[in-house]
Amino acid sequence: MKDSKKIFVLTGAGISAESGIPTFRGKDGLWKNYSATDLATPEAFNRNPELVWEWYRWRQDLITRAKPNPAHFALVELENLSESFLLLTQNVDNLHQCAGSKNVLELHGNIFRTRCLKCGSIDKIDNAVFKPLPHCPCGGLLRPDVVWFGEAIPYDVWTKALKFLNSADVAIICGTSGVVWPAAAIPEIAKNCGVKTIEINLELTPISPIVDISILGPAGKILPEIVKLLRH
Ligand code: BJW
Ligand code: ZN
């Protein structure tokens, strides 16, 4: 990493776990006995928009009160230390931007925005009136501006990320279970481009056999340690 000029980082829910935000899978991913991954679908929203909005409002509230943790701040420092840096996050919680990261791309949208199902306009969540469902001035139902299963990820984000990754020196993959595509393809794409890959996670994942190094431990401890070593 000391010789790396161009650093790519992919983050997932695990990086925000130490800020008190539940991850998606495992026991953490349960809300009122619903599995988080079953709620993050267009089908769930069509079937029961009240339920899905209730879950998002609960998460928005939790996230609004959460603060970035040492892992988020370490990535800010890593960006400042590197010549070229890109952070691709699957998280919708804004915590990287809150911490001060500058070059951030959101792959799965942002929980603080709404999108109109009728006219497609995007707005801040603060402008939405829940009575109980929020509507656009055009009359259309508003949904969270996030990417659910089966939906296309933002094309411009994906192409920008791959363009950067293609000529990066190192890719850090932190706090993701590596089961959701296309983010799960990043380690393999990186390897094919000759980029060194480092995974940071509490446990081994399906991407562990692909990466060059797997570091097991909490992101809030490992990332600051890496940055500390790089500073000296
Ligand atoms: C720590 C820690 C600590 C804890 N320190 N670590 C190819 C093959 C198979 C399936 C597919 C495929 N292509 C597409 C699919 C379908 C689908 C998919 O991948 N399904 C799989 C589950 C099988 N993918 C899609 O549908 C995607 N769309 C797509 O591909 O479109 C194609 C298309 C093209 C053209 C037209 C139409 C379609 C979209 C995926 C969208 C995912 N959306 C969600 C919700 C976002 C909104 C919201 O937040 O509400 O994104 S689901 C959820 O999973 C969320 C996350 O970003 C994402 C990934 O989860 P993540 O971040 O990895 O979290 P966890 O909980 O899984 O893991 C946490 C990890 O942290 C664990 O490993 C812990 O150990 C670790 N950890 N504490 C370090 N302190
Ligand atoms: Zn509208």
Side-chain angles (χ1 to χ4, degrees), residues 11-18 22-26 28 36-37 40 55-56 59 89-92 107-109 111 146-153 174-184 199-205 217-220:
T11 61
I15 199 163
S16 295
E18 291 162 72
T23 58
F24 287 90
R25 290 164 185 84
D28 263 13
T37 46
W55 178 55
Y56 274 93
R59 287 176 60 208
T89 187
Q90 297 170 81
N91 300 344
V92 297
L107 190 62
H108 293 160
I111 201 167
V146 298
V147 182
W148 286 324
F149 285 115
E151 296 185 322
I153 54 146
C174 179
T176 179
S177 55
V179 296
V180 176
W181 296 80
E199 174 186 41
I200 300 168
N201 200 304
L202 291 180
E203 56 190 31
L204 294 173
T205 71

Side-chain angles (χ1 to χ4, degrees), residues 8 10 88 107 153 158-168 170-171 173 180-197 207 210-212:
F8 176 95
L10 170 71
L88 176 67
L107 190 62
I153 54 146
W158 185 246
T159 46
K160 260 190 214 163
L162 290 196
K163 192 167 172 236
F164 186 98
L165 181 62
N166 185 42
S167 58
V170 68
I173 297 118
V180 176
W181 296 80
I186 292 280
E188 190 129 31
I189 296 171
K191 292 281 286 197
N192 291 340
C193 300
V195 181
K196 291 273 177 243
T197 46
I207 59 179
I210 300 166
V211 295
D212 292 301

Side-chain angles (χ1 to χ4, degrees), residues 74 82 86 115 168 172 178 206 228:
S82 54
L86 180 78
R115 189 166 80 235
I172 298 176
K228 195 172 152 200

Side-chain angles (χ1 to χ4, degrees), residues 115-121 135-142:
R115 189 166 80 235
C116 174
L117 284 180
K118 200 168 161 195
C119 72
S121 71
H135 286 87
C136 175
C138 85
L141 179 61
L142 297 178

